[in-house]
């Protein structure tokens, strides 16, 4: 069959196996090129960077970019965890399933140890599987990336399922919503959270599960001396604060940041540390359906591309590793620059005063008639499609896909 994107209200409900693989390979090529450019040495070459890395939420976005940087720039063996729908003869898999398959193939070709676990990362059963696997390797983790994002989480103790929501707190939040495929604008309003929606969102997207992971890994003695762990967050511009930083997700991220301090204290005994990295805003499945956000990102991309500072997932993660985490001798763990809350900031270029000033000039003047000229509509549309394996360079989208389980 010929696979074309099936899009409903800024949500793509299918994926292209070959396109997903090609996009993953593009990111791998970038990491390899940066390794050469920065003269980074793997452990086999005498480098002191990460050697055994666990990535929780490894299949897409920042999690995938982290795993690629660890493996193909620093030569690390990796265990990745994600919960994906597998492909079958009749049905395609989720983009992350194909991304994982492409990653594993490339890592094995390079002689790297790699195991990808398709399971619920919130469960204690998954934690046991990870612990058993790293023990079977005879290794310990020196870096743990926590990049989980999910609408639901079942508490391992109570067995209660909690649901997260993206809503403002206190009052409605509204504004223009952009259909990225047509360029049409419409008004969208998000009603404020009610009932238990705030604590439930914190339960899913906060730091409780991250803390549980580190506790159980520590008790199993699979954390190496000096082990570091990093979780990801977003702050963004003031215009998005009501729906994000000051909304339900923001409450969860503040919990994540608070628990980072707890985890950091726990890791001191082995010379380790815990950080939250505040990353740049990017087109994701969730950001595409939040009022204002797609328009803001379109304006932001236009300004940052003109300035030469725009980054995607892999560029952000490569910079996090090379310019924040591993700045020591022979690419070892160096002193990490942080803000007053002990957060790593690689949203620094997004929030530069001149960038935000330009974005603020653009935003009030966007209309349906000028949207294509006012923002980087083509850029955000490409990113939206590429997440799902479409609009990827080097892929023949007129070719029949005869095996939905194959990435060739």
């Amino acid at each position: 069959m010929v696979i074309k994107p099936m899009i409903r209200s800024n949500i793509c409900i299918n994926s292209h196996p070959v396109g997903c693989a090609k996009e993953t390979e593009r990111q791998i090529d970038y990491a390899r090129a940066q390794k050469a450019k920065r003269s980074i040495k793997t452990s086999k070459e005498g480098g002191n960077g990460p050697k055994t890395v666990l990535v929780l939420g490894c299949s897409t976005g920042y999690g995938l970019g982290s795993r690629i940087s660890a493996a193909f720039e620093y030569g690390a063996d990796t265990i990745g965890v994600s919960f994906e729908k597998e492909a079958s003869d009749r049905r395609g898999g989720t983009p992350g399933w194909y991304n994982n398959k492409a990653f594993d193939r490339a890592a094995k070709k390079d002689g790297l140890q790699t195991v990808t676990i398709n399971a619920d990362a919130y469960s204690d059963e998954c934690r046991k599987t990870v612990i058993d696997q790293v023990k079977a390797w005879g290794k310990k983790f020196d870096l743990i990336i926590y990049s989980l994002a999910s609408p639901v989480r079942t508490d391992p103790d109570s067995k209660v399922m909690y649901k997260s929501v993206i809503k403002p707190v206190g009052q409605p939040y509204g504004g223009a919503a952009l259909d990225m495929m047509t360029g049409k604008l419409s008004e969208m309003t998000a009603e404020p959270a009610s009932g238990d929606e705030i604590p439930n969102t914190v339960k899913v997207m906060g730091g409780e599960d991250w803390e549980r992971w580190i506790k159980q890994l520590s008790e199993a003695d699979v954390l190496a001396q000096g082990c570091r762990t990093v979780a990801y967050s977003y702050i963004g511009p003031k215009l998005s604060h009501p729906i994000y930083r000051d909304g339900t997700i923001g409450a969860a991220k503040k919990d994540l940041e608070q628990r980072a301090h707890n985890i950091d204290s726990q890791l001191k005994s082995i010379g380790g540390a815990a950080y939250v990295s505040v990353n740049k805003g990017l087109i994701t499945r969730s950001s595409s359906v939040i009022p204002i956000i797609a328009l803001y990102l379109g304006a932001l991309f236009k300004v940052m591309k003109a300035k030469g500072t725009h980054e995607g997932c892999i560029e952000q993660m490569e910079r996090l590793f090379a310019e924040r985490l591993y700045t020591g001798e022979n690419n070892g763990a160096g002193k990490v620059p942080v803000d007053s809350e002990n957060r790593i900031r690689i949203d620094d270029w997004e929030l530069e005063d001149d960038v935000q000033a330009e974005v603020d000039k653009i935003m009030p003047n966007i209309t349906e008639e000028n949207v294509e000229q006012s923002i980087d509509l083509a850029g955000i549309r490409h990113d939206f499609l590429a997440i799902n394996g479409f609009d990827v360079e080097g892929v023949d989208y007129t070719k029949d896909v005869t095996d939905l389980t194959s990435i060739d």
Side-chain angles (χ1 to χ4, degrees), residues 308-374:
T309 57
H310 175 71
E311 296 172 309
C313 281
I314 187 59
E315 291 85 4
Q316 277 263 290
M317 294 300 94
E318 193 279 332
R319 185 157 69 96
L320 170 67
F321 276 60
E323 298 183 11
R324 300 294 191 271
L325 294 173
Y326 297 103
T327 58
E329 185 178 354
N330 283 335
N331 319 121
K335 182 176 173 56
V336 178
V338 293
D339 66 10
S340 60
E341 300 297 321
N342 203 47
R343 299 173 300 202
I344 300 171
R345 303 301 294 267
I346 53 168
D347 63 342
D348 48 350
W349 296 349
E350 173 183 355
L351 295 184
E352 285 181 339
D353 290 343
D354 59 339
V355 169
Q356 288 299 313
E358 284 297 313
V359 171
D360 288 344
K361 288 179 185 176
I362 294 170
M363 290 294 291
N365 300 308
I366 300 171
T367 66
E368 206 164 277
E369 290 69 35
N370 69 19
V371 66
E372 198 157 355
Q373 294 74 42
S374 297

Side-chain angles (χ1 to χ4, degrees), residues 167-317:
K167 289 187 176 183
V169 173
Q171 57 187 11
Y173 177 80
L178 170 70
D179 185 319
M180 288 181 287
M181 301 311 295
T182 65
K184 292 188 177 298
L185 301 178
S186 60
E187 285 297 311
M188 182 185 290
T189 300
E191 294 301 320
S194 60
D196 292 331
E197 288 181 325
I198 297 172
N200 287 357
T201 300
V202 172
K203 191 79 174 176
V204 178
M205 296 293 292
E208 181 179 280
D209 182 69
W210 182 27
E211 202 166 4
R212 192 179 184 102
W213 265 103
I214 300 304
K215 181 176 183 292
Q216 291 192 18
L217 294 172
S218 177
E219 289 172 348
D221 193 26
V222 293
L223 299 183
Q225 189 70 24
C227 177
R228 288 175 167 180
T229 183
V230 183
Y232 297 141
S233 186
Y234 181 64
I235 292 177
K238 290 182 180 178
L239 71 88
S240 72
H241 283 190
I243 192 69
Y244 200 92
R245 188 65 183 174
D246 297 332
T248 54
I249 292 294
K253 294 301 185 182
K254 288 168 187 173
D255 179 79
L256 184 82
E257 292 167 14
Q258 179 56 50
R259 289 179 185 266
H261 295 294
N262 301 340
I263 298 169
D264 188 70
S265 297
Q266 294 165 19
L267 292 177
K268 292 297 185 191
S269 63
I270 58 169
Y275 301 98
V276 167
S277 176
V278 183
N279 302 343
K280 173 180 179 286
L282 296 173
I283 291 293
T284 64
R285 290 185 172 190
S286 60
S287 67
S288 306
V289 294
I290 305 173
I292 293 292
I293 298 301
L295 271 181
Y296 163 73
L297 291 174
L300 177 72
F301 287 14
K302 184 180 181 72
V303 172
M304 294 189 75
K305 285 180 180 179
K307 195 178 179 185
T309 57
H310 175 71
E311 296 172 309
C313 281
I314 187 59
E315 291 85 4
Q316 277 263 290
M317 294 300 94

